[in-house]
Amino acid sequence: MHDRDPWSLDRRRFLGRSIGLAASALWFASCGGGAGEAESADLVLPDGLVPDDFLVHGTNPWTIETKRARLSGGITPTKHVFVRANLPMPEASILDDRSAWSVDVEGVAQPKTLTLAELQALGSETVVSVLQCSGNGRRFFDHGPSGSPWGVGAAANVEWTGVPVRAVFDALGGAAEGMRFLTGTGGEPLPEGLDPRQIVVERSVPLAKGLADAILAWEMNGEPVPLTHGGPLRLVVPGYYGVNSVKYVKRLAATADESDAKIQVSSYRVRPIGETVEPGDPSMWEMNVKSWVDAPLGDAPVDAGPVQVTGVAFSGGTPIDAVEVTTDGGATWSAAELSGDDLGPFAWRVFSFAWNATSGSHTIACRARDASGAEQPEMPNPNERGYAHNGWRDPSVTVRVV
């Protein structure tokens, strides 16, 4: 819907900020939303997650990065999926009767409130999709953007099951005339005394995308969606950054315009370093092509001889066409093999490369290309908030071969 390239940042602009924005920022800071790794050895993570598998950047709301070594393979086990929240989670009691959870469906010919049980009666589909935070890779940007200092671990390859949004809209007579966006609203409790539009998690995506691919998911990796990941019901928009996959979804609407909530209007938009945001700036919608190596990681020396280099690659829905690997810091490149099952256009592909390792220090990196010809750059365009990092050089690993 934007007529500007999301990754071309040569524009100048100005937008004043509201008092409500400052108030919401103060509230967020009081909830521990700033960057910085939690150090407590006694920290108990939600849903029984094991601390050794994660880096904890924030606790209220939770901001938990998966360690790179846990991201190998096809489907990411739920116990290894990163956690990112814009608001503190609702009480666990909302899971006591999942089937009673309800969603207000608006902007259709026959608006109606539907329970989860009624949604399940409309049928289901399963899709494997990469769930990735917009700021994944933020710590690689040199300018030190604010926000959680993610490496590559704010991503996961997840199997979602739920009813397609198009089936819900079809059952209610279709979207009303003139509607251009699909807008989902989260059900997190909002703090009193602040403008709700500055706080609420409410995201809009193009309606055509929503009707083509989005689902209302009640299962994650074959089990009910945990509270931490948006249960009992989460809007999932495959191929788009995770902020668009609204947790605890309570309202689903076809709308003529994008949401006027702060998280849509001024947050999660790409702008040049040092410039203020403009509502028309590119929104964090479709993901770009990206890959990283998950073994070896350089945490221990490896023996000279045959070494298997492995990793994952994905895009925003265009199939991965090829992955190349370098073991000399980019001086030379070799084709890797796409291995494992092809789980669909929104899933990541596992790749492998047979390397005859020689003694010494080696810098290993990878770069992916999708079927449209889009390829990872060496370095991404920097932007104010450190979004959408997909450069191949920064996530490289240095390995000592003995």
Side-chain angles (χ1 to χ4, degrees):
M1 292 297 175
H2 295 294
D3 58 5
R4 291 180 285 184
D5 179 357
W7 318 119
S8 176
L9 303 177
D10 58 355
R11 305 173 305 280
R12 309 293 298 177
R13 82 304 291 261
F14 175 83
L15 179 70
R17 294 180 181 270
S18 68
I19 295 175
L21 175 60
S24 63
L26 288 172
W27 173 82
F28 185 74
S30 74
C31 289
E37 211 160 291
E39 300 289 347
S40 173
D42 299 323
L43 191 63
V44 177
L45 303 188
D47 288 332
L49 301 181
V50 178
D52 286 347
D53 294 333
F54 298 93
L55 303 172
V56 180
H57 300 306
T59 58
N60 188 21
W62 287 105
T63 307
I64 306 173
E65 176 176 357
T66 309
K67 290 184 178 178
R68 192 165 176 169
R70 300 292 185 267
L71 293 176
S72 60
I75 300 294
T76 306
T78 302
K79 67 180 182 179
H80 289 157
V81 176
F82 77 100
V83 179
R84 169 70 174 102
N86 281 286
L87 291 171
M89 291 185 294
E91 295 293 330
S93 59
I94 67 171
L95 303 183
D96 289 347
D97 186 359
R98 289 174 177 263
S99 64
W101 183 264
S102 62
V103 180
D104 297 330
V105 184
E106 302 172 2
V108 292
Q110 303 161 24
K112 188 175 182 181
T113 299
L114 296 173
T115 65
L116 177 51
E118 290 172 320
L119 290 169
Q120 291 173 326
L122 297 176
S124 68
E125 291 183 2
T126 296
V127 61
V128 179
S129 176
V130 173
L131 180 69
Q132 180 182 211
C133 181
S134 302
N136 197 30
R138 178 179 285 125
R139 75 174 177 87
F140 299 127
F141 285 104
D142 291 337
H143 65 286
S146 63
S148 300
W150 303 111
V152 301
N157 198 40
V158 180
E159 181 185 273
W160 303 99
T161 298
V163 61
V165 168
R166 63 180 176 275
V168 178
F169 278 26
D170 286 347
L172 300 179
E177 185 176 351
M179 301 305 176
R180 301 183 299 133
F181 296 93
L182 177 70
T183 298
T185 308
E188 296 97 335
L190 303 181
E192 297 181 0
L194 294 174
D195 180 358
R197 307 310 294 166
Q198 296 290 320
I199 301 296
V200 67
V201 177
E202 183 174 271
R203 288 287 295 178
S204 300
V205 301
L207 182 59
K209 170 65 177 179
L211 294 179
D213 301 316
I215 67 172
L216 292 172
W218 52 76
E219 283 189 4
M220 176 182 182
N221 291 340
E223 299 290 339
V225 179
L227 183 72
T228 301
H229 295 295
L233 192 67
R234 181 170 188 169
L235 173 65
V236 173
V237 185
Y240 275 32
Y241 286 96
V243 67
N244 302 287
S245 292
V246 176
K247 298 177 182 178
Y248 324 108
V249 61
K250 287 295 291 181
R251 173 179 173 266
L252 187 70
T255 57
D257 300 306
E258 296 183 43
S259 169
D260 65 354
K262 172 185 173 290
I263 198 171
Q264 181 78 24
V265 172
S266 59
S267 300
Y268 293 94
R269 292 187 182 269
V270 180
R271 67 186 194 270
I273 296 171
E275 295 200 9
T276 49
V277 71
E278 186 175 288
D281 286 340
S283 191
M284 293 306 296
W285 284 342
E286 185 174 344
M287 295 187 291
N288 51 19
V289 64
K290 188 168 185 172
S291 68
W292 60 76
V293 168
D294 58 42
L297 292 178
D299 45 4
V302 300
D303 293 332
V307 173
Q308 196 79 349
V309 177
T310 61
V312 298
F314 58 95
S315 72
T318 304
I320 293 298
D321 188 56
V323 177
E324 294 178 305
V325 171
T326 178
T327 59
D328 54 16
T332 61
W333 294 87
S334 300
E337 178 184 355
L338 296 178
S339 53
D341 295 331
D342 183 347
L343 299 176
F346 302 114
W348 67 36
R349 290 300 307 270
V350 175
F351 67 84
S352 61
F353 172 69
W355 174 37
N356 185 23
T358 58
S359 60
S361 179
H362 299 265
T363 298
I364 304 175
C366 57
R367 64 186 182 192
R369 183 180 68 247
D370 70 20
S372 75
E375 184 175 274
Q376 286 180 259
E378 180 176 359
M379 303 293 290
N381 287 327
N383 60 88
E384 175 67 22
R385 292 303 312 277
Y387 289 143
H389 187 288
N390 74 329
W392 61 258
R393 181 165 293 282
D394 289 327
S396 64
V397 295
T398 299
V399 175
R400 185 164 63 91
V401 179
V402 296

